[in-house]
Amino acid sequence: TVFILGAGASCPYGFPSGSELREQIISVYVSDFEAYLNARARVKVLIPQELSKAKEFTDKFRKSTKSIDLFLALNPEFKETGKRAIIFRILRAEKQSHFREQSKHKDQDWYTLLFECMTKGFVKKDDYSRFCENDVSFITFNYDRSLEHFLYDSLLNSFVGIGGDKIAEQLNRIKVIHVFGKVAPLEWQDRNGVEYRQEINSVNADELIKNLRTIYEGMENPELKEAKDLIGKAKSIYFLGFGYAKENLDVLGIPEILSTGQLVYGTALGLTERKIQEVRSVLQYNSGSKGGVANPRIDKS
């Protein structure tokens, strides 16, 4: 089973959608950046100059395209500024995120359901060691680490006393590919990782910029081939919180790499019936195409 995740997959836990990310960047990036500069004890004479560029960036972005990725592709001179703005927003959302009963939209809490499915039948202390036997992978277009954090935290607290190293070993064997990168590895994934809910002012945002790719840099990801292989071999594919943008499907080689024997399901919250029909048509196999599935199920439920 392969899950393909878009921004909507993280929204139930307090993360912004694409449109919300744009709104947040425009409204608070300059103040976020100023606080960051002051906290990092930057040379005071440089701060006005750096803030001037931040203000120029938000002003231009406000009056342009709705996509931060497209804006940065069209205006590479703002690439570092834009990626820094994304990092600030994602780290802020991580700090304010909530799960399970405290999640922002409890009726959309699929993380908890996922964990229950992945631990079904676990009744003994050493059953934690079977977690990696779940034949499941995740391909996400999101920069946040909420899924990995949730699974690690849930397994650690379900098997008290096992220890973080053994739990991390299980999680590291479950493949999670971030198509466009992530703000940073978590501390249990890498010794130089950044803790979940880390304070913005305590990280080096200029270093973290290197971890992100925009949509138009996605083809540079060395894990992209593995992502395509996972999709091509999957029996079941689930699109969750995904907008089905052509450029995102193209990055993964969809629908060409799909085959008629696969089962494809997708959520469509907020999409019109016309858009849903378009998505079904794109994913559906026909004799004139190189790929597709027999009956893709894209539903609002």
Side-chain angles (χ1 to χ4, degrees), residues 146-166:
S146 61
L147 174 62
E148 298 98 302
H149 167 75
F150 177 86
L151 293 177
Y152 175 84
D153 200 47
S154 296
L155 201 60
L156 185 68
N157 287 286
S158 295
F159 294 88
V160 178
I162 292 300
D165 289 346
K166 292 182 178 179

Side-chain angles (χ1 to χ4, degrees), residues 242-244 267-276 279 298 300:
F242 196 73
Y244 307 99
T267 57
L269 186 64
L271 299 187
T272 64
E273 286 300 326
R274 179 176 179 178
K275 177 63 177 178
I276 292 172
V279 173
I298 310 297
K300 291 186 177 182

Side-chain angles (χ1 to χ4, degrees), residues 111-126:
Y111 282 8
T112 297
L113 176 61
L114 173 71
F115 183 74
E116 296 303 318
C117 291
M118 293 179 75
T119 54
K120 186 176 181 180
F122 287 18
V123 294
K124 296 182 297 182
K125 196 73 169 179
D126 61 356

Side-chain angles (χ1 to χ4, degrees), residues 237-297:
I237 300 167
Y238 293 86
F239 290 92
L240 298 182
F242 196 73
Y244 307 99
K246 183 180 184 303
E247 53 268 31
N248 285 338
L249 293 174
D250 287 347
V251 166
L252 297 178
I254 294 174
E256 287 77 11
I257 63 174
L258 301 179
S259 58
T260 54
Q262 293 176 306
L263 300 175
V264 173
Y265 305 87
T267 57
L269 186 64
L271 299 187
T272 64
E273 286 300 326
R274 179 176 179 178
K275 177 63 177 178
I276 292 172
Q277 290 302 323
E278 289 177 0
V279 173
R280 288 175 180 154
S281 178
V282 167
L283 299 179
Q284 196 159 24
Y285 173 82
N286 63 73
S287 58
S289 71
K290 296 181 180 179
V293 292
N295 184 30
R297 294 192 56 181

Side-chain angles (χ1 to χ4, degrees), residues 13 22 25 73 80 107-108 112 124 147 160 193 202 220-221 228 237 258 280:
Y13 311 103
R22 169 187 158 85
I25 287 174
E80 288 191 359
D107 59 327
Q108 299 172 20
T112 297
K124 296 182 297 182
L147 174 62
V160 178
S202 65
E220 301 171 13
N221 188 346
K228 292 179 179 180
I237 300 167
L258 301 179
R280 288 175 180 154

Side-chain angles (χ1 to χ4, degrees), residues 39-278:
R40 299 284 293 181
R42 298 292 288 269
V43 179
K44 298 298 182 182
V45 70
L46 294 178
I47 291 179
Q49 180 180 338
E50 293 179 276
L51 287 179
S52 177
K53 185 169 184 177
K55 291 174 183 177
E56 182 187 5
F57 158 70
T58 54
D59 183 59
K60 299 292 186 186
F61 185 35
R62 178 186 292 107
K63 299 173 183 176
S64 69
T65 172
K66 66 179 182 179
S67 165
I68 182 64
D69 297 294
L70 179 57
F71 178 81
L72 297 182
L74 296 173
N75 302 280
E77 65 270 27
F78 289 115
K79 186 180 294 185
E80 288 191 359
T81 303
K83 289 183 178 181
R84 188 187 300 112
I86 292 171
I87 287 168
F88 284 175
R89 286 295 91 209
I90 297 301
L91 290 180
R92 182 76 68 192
E94 284 190 355
K95 190 166 181 61
Q96 298 173 347
S97 61
H98 295 286
F99 303 100
R100 299 185 181 275
E101 290 81 5
Q102 295 180 320
S103 59
K104 185 177 180 181
H105 300 287
K106 288 188 287 187
D107 59 327
Q108 299 172 20
D109 175 19
W110 70 277
Y111 282 8
T112 297
L113 176 61
L114 173 71
F115 183 74
E116 296 303 318
C117 291
M118 293 179 75
T119 54
K120 186 176 181 180
F122 287 18
V123 294
K124 296 182 297 182
K125 196 73 169 179
D126 61 356
D127 280 345
Y128 80 92
S129 61
R130 295 167 47 204
F131 192 79
C132 65
E133 295 174 7
N134 283 283
D135 195 2
V136 59
S137 302
F138 302 89
I139 299 168
T140 176
F141 285 78
N142 301 329
Y143 297 122
D144 71 84
R145 298 91 47 88
S146 61
L147 174 62
E148 298 98 302
H149 167 75
F150 177 86
L151 293 177
Y152 175 84
D153 200 47
S154 296
L155 201 60
L156 185 68
N157 287 286
S158 295
F159 294 88
V160 178
I162 292 300
D165 289 346
K166 292 182 178 179
I167 298 300
E169 181 182 355
Q170 292 296 306
L171 266 295
N172 284 328
R173 292 172 69 179
I174 302 292
K175 198 67 184 179
V176 181
I177 296 176
H178 288 259
V179 178
F180 300 140
K182 56 187 175 183
V183 291
L186 290 160
E187 74 280 7
W188 54 267
Q189 295 174 316
D190 188 290
R191 62 181 181 180
N192 296 316
V194 173
E195 185 180 355
Y196 194 81
R197 295 195 173 95
Q198 184 73 38
E199 292 286 348
I200 295 174
N201 295 339
S202 65
V203 302
N204 186 337
D206 292 336
E207 281 295 317
L208 299 187
I209 285 171
K210 301 172 185 177
N211 297 330
L212 303 191
R213 304 177 184 88
T214 65
I215 188 171
Y216 299 98
E217 300 172 317
M219 299 303 290
E220 301 171 13
N221 188 346
E223 291 186 298
L224 197 54
K225 182 182 184 301
E226 183 176 8
K228 292 179 179 180
D229 288 343
L230 289 170
I231 295 170
K233 296 174 183 177
K235 293 181 179 179
S236 300
I237 300 167
Y238 293 86
F239 290 92
L240 298 182
F242 196 73
Y244 307 99
K246 183 180 184 303
E247 53 268 31
N248 285 338
L249 293 174
D250 287 347
V251 166
L252 297 178
I254 294 174
E256 287 77 11
I257 63 174
L258 301 179
S259 58
T260 54
Q262 293 176 306
L263 300 175
V264 173
Y265 305 87
T267 57
L269 186 64
L271 299 187
T272 64
E273 286 300 326
R274 179 176 179 178
K275 177 63 177 178
I276 292 172
Q277 290 302 323
E278 289 177 0

